[in-house]
Each structure stands twice: as structure tokens, then as C-alpha cells.
Amino acid sequence: MQDNVKREQIKTQVLVLGGGAGGIGAAIAAAREGAETIIVDRQGFLGGNMTIGLPLLAFLDAGGRQVTGGLPQEIVDRLIELDGSFGHRACPLHNSTTVIDPNLMKIVLFEKVKKYGVRPLLHCEIIGTTVKNGELQSVIVKGKGKEIELFADVFVDATGDGDVAFMAGAEFEKGQYANGETQPPTLMFTVGGFELERFMNFLEEHPEELKHGSSMKIRPGYTAQFLRASENHVFVGLKNTISRLRQEGKCPIDRDTIIYINLPREGHIALNCIRILNFDGTRIEELSRGEVESHLQILPLIRMLKEHIPGFEHIYLSSIAPFLGIRETRRIKGMQMIREDAAVQGVIPEDTIALGSYIIDIHSGSGDSTLIRSLAGPYGITYGATISKDIKRLMLSGRCISVDPVVFGSSRVMPTCMAVGEGVGIGAAIAAKQNITPEEVDVQMIRQKLRERGAILSLDGHG
């Protein structure tokens, strides 16, 4: 069979593969530093999971101190201008919530990309890599019957799944050490017609519906009064009702609570409830199964909520996310790895490029439970955790950075991924402009540039 596929070649200084939180952070930061930058994504928009109704969690730590600034804060500030966010609010369960309008997020990210001169290459699937002597030479993408071979001085894998690193032969880990389970995916969807006051009245009459099992130890204050006090909230609960409905054969979802995100649009909430078990998001067969199974859970779930939960009686389907929200797949091994003891002890090394502070939040991959563990304060994510230990000129951003499976339960949230990306993008730009490898870049120069951009690297004013 004749191969009629045409292949074009393009060269850039920094190539970011994946347009989610980690990719956006890296691409904008690299371009802002003057590096010619291309960002690739399979969708027709940028933002990844920031565009499906999820909130931005843990801009603040458990003590209410802001730990993420810089570019992530710049994006939230623009959303606030557009009435697309209420800003940050301390939360006893999530440290803080920042609910956002997912449609406005798409627009804001295109604004930023255009402002800073990032070249987007959308509707492209990554199909291969070229590696010589352990050095990544190019990444091949395909779209509309054409292949493009992309050459760069520095490559940033921000695919979430570590697809580029995997194709290039980098060493990786996947799943929990004990059993290999990965956290399950969610298909987000939004509904309109939600009556917030009626639901709050129900919660005040049934405070037990805000209590969680022993695996979810949370700080006091997560009450109906807390939720009612601001539209900027995420609800997690209804454990008793869900347990009863499951026993009666009326619950279509494999999780023990209902999660909704109150969107900045009256009567609209995003539901984070669907859970596909025993799932491997690195296999297309599994992704296909997950899409089918999760879509078919939506109408039964809406029916259950309408029939059994006050405030949900008149809800209707408003939108469905264009893809499964994948929580966990590969973690690529870097020159350093952030481990559980460092996160729990709040270690912030001198080569930190971003702070993490979100709770350790591990959804069971085979059951309906969620393990939650609070952290007293932030921990440092180091530059070395964003550089592949195996493949030269390959950096990592977003959830595929080098962390152990417990730390991953915290570091995977989007503000942290974006903050890491900002540091990665600066490092990549410096490496490209100085014609050196990413590991040769002076991390203190990166940190200085981050501070100048408003990033937060410590809480004592000296980081």
C-alpha cells in the first residue's frame, strides 16, 4: 500500500506537548522569556481539565496562606474580571476552592497564548518520537491526513499521561506501590435548574449528610452554614443517602459520595460523581470503555438525584465534558523524586520551583472509597523532579512529574500543575536560549524570574 501521508518539518526552541494546566504554564512562561514556543494539543482548545467544570483547588494551604501565585493567579484575576470566578475561598476539606466558568477559561487561555506569542498547534495527535543516543531529537504529530515532525531545543511532556516520555523510552511508574491501582477517571457534566437554597435547607435538617467515613478526616467547619455562606464552594457528601440508595439498587455510580461544584452561573453545578473502576488510561480500549460506560451513567444519575434529593427536582442536563477527566496514569522518573516523607514534613528545598499544599487525595481504583489526609503546610516541588533522568532535553510538567504515588495524590491538582509548568517553561527557555541542557540551567535564576512574576516559593518571604 502506498504511503500518501505528507510529512512537514518544523523547528522551534521550546516544544510543549499537551495543553492542560501543566502545558499552559510551561508554554506561556517559555514564550514570556523570549523563546520561540509551540504548544500541541489533540483538542480544538487549550486548558485540559480546567475546561470541564472542575474547581481550582488549594491556591491556599491548610492555614489559609496563599501558596500559588504567578501565572495561575494572573489567569484567575482575568476570570474574576469576566465574572468567571469568585476568587479563592478557604475550605476545611480542600484547603481552598476557586470555582471557575469552564467556557470563559478557554477564552482566557487563548487570550494569554496570543498575548505572549505562543504558537498553538491544535487537533494533532502525537504518534511518535525520534531518539538518538538517549537524546530526544523530534516528536511526530498527525492531523488532517498530514504528519508534522517537530524539532526543538527543549521538549516538555505535559501530556498528563507522559506519552512523549513513554514513546521516547523513559522509565516510569504507574499506580500505587501496594497494588498497582491507578485512581479512576471521571466524566464531568453540568446541570441547570439546581435550587441551592432548597438543598441547603435539606443539609441543615440532615447534618449527618456532611459527615464522612474514617478514611476522610477533615478539619471542623465543613457545615451547611459554611456552604450556604458563599457560592464559591464544592459540596462533598450525601454518604448516608448514597449508601441507602445503593442497597435499594437505585444508585448507578461506583462511589460513596456526591460531589458538585457550584459554578459562577446561577442554578448551574458541575457534577464530579462518575467513577470507572479497574481502569488504565494509557490504553485506548480502556479509554473507549470508559467513555461509553460513563456517558451511560449520566441519565440514571440525574434521575436518582431528581427523585431523592431536595433541590435537585428540576435539574436538567446542560453539558457533558468532551473527554474523560483522567486522574492518574504514568509518573515519569526524573533526576529527583518528591517522596511522601518530604511532603508530609513540609520540606522546601533550595531548588524548589513551586509549592504543593493540597491534601493527599487518593480515590480507590477498585472500590467506592476515597482516602484523604491533610498536610499541615506546603512542600517544595523541585526543578530536578521535572527533568527526565533517561532522555536528554526532555522536561516534564503537570501530573506526570517525578513524584511517588502518595505525593501524586496532592501534586496532581491544576494550580500546582500550572505553577510547576511556569518554572519548567522558564528553565526550558533559558536552556534553549543559552544552548545548554535543562539540567545545566542555574535553578536560582529560574527562581529569581519566578519571584519577579509573583510566584510563591516559600512562606517566610525568603524563598
Side-chain angles (χ1 to χ4, degrees):
M1 186 173 74
Q2 185 176 0
D3 184 2
N4 292 320
V5 175
K6 307 297 183 184
R7 180 177 290 182
E8 179 185 350
Q9 293 186 335
I10 297 176
K11 173 72 169 69
T12 189
Q13 289 182 299
V14 176
L15 177 61
V16 178
L17 298 134
I24 279 290
I28 291 175
R32 240 177 5 189
E33 288 301 313
E36 185 181 41
T37 304
I38 292 175
I39 188 168
V40 174
D41 199 88
R42 68 179 65 175
Q43 307 294 339
F45 55 88
L46 297 169
N49 286 341
M50 293 193 292
T51 69
I52 63 176
L54 290 168
L56 304 179
L57 298 176
F59 266 88
L60 314 181
D61 74 353
R65 302 168 295 186
Q66 186 158 350
V67 296
T68 302
L71 178 62
Q73 183 62 52
E74 180 184 327
I75 288 170
V76 171
D77 288 342
R78 177 60 178 147
L79 284 168
I80 292 171
E81 289 177 7
L82 298 173
D83 295 324
S85 175
F86 302 118
H88 314 312
R89 183 192 183 204
C91 173
L93 179 53
H94 302 99
N95 290 356
S96 72
T97 54
T98 308
V99 301
I100 56 174
D101 183 309
N103 294 311
L104 287 175
M105 175 62 88
K106 293 179 184 178
I107 294 170
V108 167
L109 294 180
F110 277 142
E111 285 179 349
K112 298 297 182 186
V113 161
K114 190 168 184 180
K115 175 180 178 180
Y116 293 116
V118 179
R119 178 181 175 185
L121 201 56
L122 306 178
H123 300 287
C124 286
E125 192 74 36
I126 302 161
I127 63 169
T129 61
T130 304
V131 179
K132 291 183 180 177
N133 300 319
E135 181 175 280
L136 184 57
Q137 303 286 310
S138 67
V139 172
I140 303 161
V141 303
K142 186 174 183 178
K144 305 304 290 180
K146 182 173 76 171
E147 291 183 1
I148 303 175
E149 186 169 15
L150 297 163
F151 296 84
D153 297 315
V154 179
F155 301 83
V156 178
D157 187 338
T159 60
D161 300 322
D163 288 337
V164 174
F166 171 73
M167 291 180 192
E171 190 177 351
F172 65 91
E173 295 181 344
K174 188 164 67 172
Q176 297 295 310
Y177 287 150
N179 53 22
E181 282 186 4
T182 57
Q183 297 191 52
T186 290
L187 181 66
M188 295 289 297
F189 65 98
T190 64
V191 297
F194 176 62
E195 298 175 62
L196 179 62
E197 280 302 304
R198 183 163 167 73
F199 182 60
M200 290 298 116
N201 290 339
F202 166 76
L203 289 180
E204 288 182 346
E205 293 169 7
H206 298 277
E208 70 277 5
E209 292 290 10
L210 275 165
K211 292 180 180 176
H212 301 87
S214 59
S215 66
M216 296 184 72
K217 299 187 184 339
I218 61 175
R219 301 191 304 280
Y222 193 73
T223 63
Q225 291 76 18
F226 168 79
L227 296 172
R228 190 194 285 275
S230 173
E231 294 177 281
N232 188 359
H233 70 256
V234 175
F235 168 79
V236 184
L238 295 177
K239 190 178 181 75
N240 292 351
T241 297
I242 293 300
S243 176
R244 173 177 59 80
L245 292 173
R246 178 171 286 117
Q247 290 174 1
E248 297 173 1
K250 298 175 182 176
C251 180
I253 56 172
D254 288 312
R255 62 168 302 133
D256 59 356
T257 54
I258 293 294
I259 301 177
Y260 80 67
I261 297 95
N262 198 54
L263 297 176
R265 184 179 171 198
E266 187 174 354
H268 283 73
I269 56 175
L271 286 157
N272 178 358
C273 304
I274 291 169
R275 179 180 279 188
I276 304 299
L277 302 180
N278 305 307
F279 179 86
D280 183 350
T282 65
R283 298 179 58 218
I284 55 173
E285 299 89 349
E286 285 288 278
L287 289 167
S288 301
R289 173 179 75 90
E291 293 282 6
V292 173
E293 288 186 11
S294 55
H295 276 81
L296 294 180
Q297 291 179 33
I298 291 175
L299 294 181
L301 177 56
I302 289 176
R303 183 167 59 248
M304 182 198 81
L305 293 170
K306 290 178 73 165
E307 292 177 355
H308 298 282
I309 312 297
F312 287 80
E313 293 93 339
H314 305 296
I315 62 171
Y316 57 88
L317 180 61
S318 175
S319 67
I320 303 174
F323 51 81
L324 276 173
I326 305 297
R327 284 191 176 88
E328 179 179 14
T329 49
R330 307 181 189 99
R331 305 181 309 277
I332 309 305
K333 286 195 171 182
M335 299 183 73
Q336 300 171 355
M337 180 181 285
I338 314 299
R339 299 192 181 274
E340 178 181 359
D341 56 351
V344 171
Q345 294 169 21
V347 176
I348 304 177
E350 284 300 308
D351 54 350
T352 290
I353 59 168
L355 298 180
S357 71
Y358 184 54
I359 56 177
I360 293 170
D361 179 5
I362 302 175
H363 296 243
S364 171
S366 60
D368 65 358
S369 63
T370 304
L371 172 67
I372 284 187
R373 181 177 172 191
S374 294
L375 297 176
Y379 58 92
I381 296 174
T382 59
Y383 183 60
T386 69
I387 302 173
S388 168
K389 75 176 186 63
D390 303 309
I391 306 299
K392 296 173 186 173
R393 297 200 293 148
L394 175 61
M395 300 187 72
L396 316 165
S397 185
R399 62 179 167 86
C400 68
I401 64 170
S402 185
V403 296
D404 75 15
V406 175
V407 176
F408 178 85
S410 166
S411 65
R412 64 185 176 84
V413 292
M414 295 177 289
T416 304
C417 288
M418 210 179 338
V420 169
E422 187 171 11
V424 167
I426 293 172
I430 293 172
K433 290 164 67 178
Q434 295 186 2
N435 196 27
I436 57 177
T437 63
E439 59 266 34
E440 292 174 314
V441 174
D442 180 359
V443 70
Q444 297 308 320
M445 181 184 297
I446 299 172
R447 285 162 56 85
Q448 180 59 35
K449 289 179 178 291
L450 283 168
R451 284 191 292 263
E452 291 169 0
R453 298 289 187 183
I456 300 168
L457 302 178
S458 76
L459 296 182
D460 60 8
H462 301 295

